[in-house]
Structure formats: C-alpha cells, structure tokens
Amino acid sequence: MKFTIEQSSDNNEVEINIKCGQIIDEKLQKLIDQIRLYSFSIVCKKDKEIYQISLKDAYYIESVEEKTFVYLEKEVYESNLKLYELEEQLKNTSYIRVSKSIILNIEKLQSVKPLINGKLEANLKNNEKILINRHYVPGFKKKFGI
C-alpha cells in the first residue's frame, strides 16, 4: 500500500483519493467506512442550543421514550433522528446494534465481560457499562472479531 499526504495552503478542505484495483477487499472497505464516519456528523440539541456532533466522538446512541440521545465522553445530546435511521446511516462503520434501544461505537469499547444469562457487559473507555442483549451477541462478536 502506498500512502501519500500533500499539504498546501491552497487546499480549502481535506480531500481523500483512494486508487485501487477492481476489487475492494474487506480491510480497504473498513478503512473507507471509517473515513466516512470521520466526516459524518449530526445536528443535536442540548439546553435549547444546537450543536453539530461528530459521530466519531460518540460512545453510543440510545433511544428512550421515542427520543434519541447521543452520548459522548461526558455530555449527552438529543437528536431528532430515529435510532433506525442512524443505524442505517452507520451500518458499515464501527457502530453496531447491541440492544433494542442502543447502537454502540466499538471504537469506544475498553473491555467485554460475559454474564451468566448469555448477555455481555461492555465497559466503555469513559467507564460506563452497557449491556449487550443475548439476541445481539452473535453480531457483536462477529463485528468485534471475537
């Protein structure tokens, strides 16, 4: 793989070009998906103010009583998007559904512990704990590489 970076004051924005053969393998696809996630952000609100939140910074997204919340390291924001809409937009990124109401960013995962009932407990880098429901464990293991 050849990697080139060109810096110039003439560039107004970051531009990424990927040149490859006819087939995009799994590793390259993951890299492309992560680049897309880096540039993906959503409009959220907190305390009657509007913010542009980059989803690479989010730890998880949760739906509670028909409201969607985006959890960062220490802050929580509300989004007008539905959880299923975000799940669709984030499918091929580091996000994965871990319960009926939560999509987890596995980039923010510190460790995973199996529980007696077939569930997993995810310990995040900010020391929050998220339960991964039994129904979602196989998909989580596949995505996480367990």
Side-chain angles (χ1 to χ4, degrees), residues 46-97:
K46 180 180 178 182
D47 300 327
K48 298 182 182 179
E49 292 187 45
I50 305 297
Y51 297 89
Q52 191 79 20
I53 303 297
S54 174
L55 287 183
K56 70 177 178 54
D57 297 328
Y59 280 64
Y60 62 97
I61 304 166
E62 182 177 30
S63 178
V64 178
E65 297 178 3
E66 297 187 24
K67 293 183 180 183
T68 304
F69 297 96
V70 179
Y71 293 80
L72 277 58
E73 183 176 10
K74 296 178 181 175
E75 299 89 22
V76 180
Y77 297 88
E78 186 178 346
S79 170
N80 288 333
L81 295 171
K82 301 290 183 196
L83 196 64
Y84 72 87
E85 294 172 321
L86 286 165
E87 182 181 27
E88 181 62 30
Q89 292 177 19
L90 294 169
K91 75 178 183 189
N92 297 325
T93 67
S94 58
Y95 280 83
I96 185 165
R97 176 80 71 133

